[in-house]
Amino acid sequence: ALVLAHQTRDTGQPAVQDPLGTRLSYKKLITGAQVLGAKIAPLAPQGAAVGVLLPNSAGVAVTFFALQTIGRVAAMLNFTAGPKNVLSACTAANISVVLTSRTFVEKGHLENLITALSGQVKIVYLEDVRASISFVDKIKGLSKGGTPAVKISPDAPAAILFTSGSEGTPKGVVLSHRNLLANC
């Protein structure tokens, strides 16, 4: 659907823009997702839920689509829910890896949350992943274009969203690719 939007709706304007001023064209978003996806694929098996602990930014869009292209399920963690509820969400969704950002953790004063999570899941900082990306990785990502790394059924899980946990522990709501596209 992202590739189709690029082909049919690209007006030259940014596809994603965040409050920090990051602007990504469709091509940059797709290429970034391909490059990041190739780097994070070894962290979890196909079909596994991967925690995403990031602010609303261009980076979270690239991360979400990177997980989609490699057939992982983006489990969107609510950093405001507190350590107990985020740990509960990780347990409920069987999350063993959480993708986050050092800058986000520092600016959000989320050190206690990361300390709590570190005992249960592997924390991967996207700054470290970015530092490992070579020119060759970028060329490979560009050459893949919009071809997904793996073929996924429209009814396969695409994302997990969590309730606030206001009436107990957070509950995971699994959305399929078909569910997400129906909303588009």
Side-chain angles (χ1 to χ4, degrees), residues 29-99:
L29 176 58
I30 292 167
T31 302
Q34 292 286 23
V35 173
L36 180 59
K39 286 294 190 178
I40 62 176
L43 299 174
Q46 187 174 328
V50 175
V52 178
L53 186 67
L54 294 168
N56 290 335
S57 64
V60 77
V62 173
T63 302
F64 177 83
F65 284 112
L67 292 168
Q68 298 309 297
T69 194
I70 61 171
R72 284 20 171 220
V73 181
M76 310 306 286
L77 299 173
N78 179 358
F79 62 91
T80 66
K84 180 182 171 191
N85 284 339
V86 174
L87 281 167
S88 176
C90 288
T91 300
N94 200 25
I95 295 168
S96 63
V97 175
V98 171
L99 304 175

Side-chain angles (χ1 to χ4, degrees), residues 64 68 72-76 156-161 173-177 180:
F64 177 83
Q68 298 309 297
R72 284 20 171 220
V73 181
M76 310 306 286
I160 303 172
L161 304 180
V173 179
V174 179
L175 299 172
S176 70
H177 296 275
L180 293 178

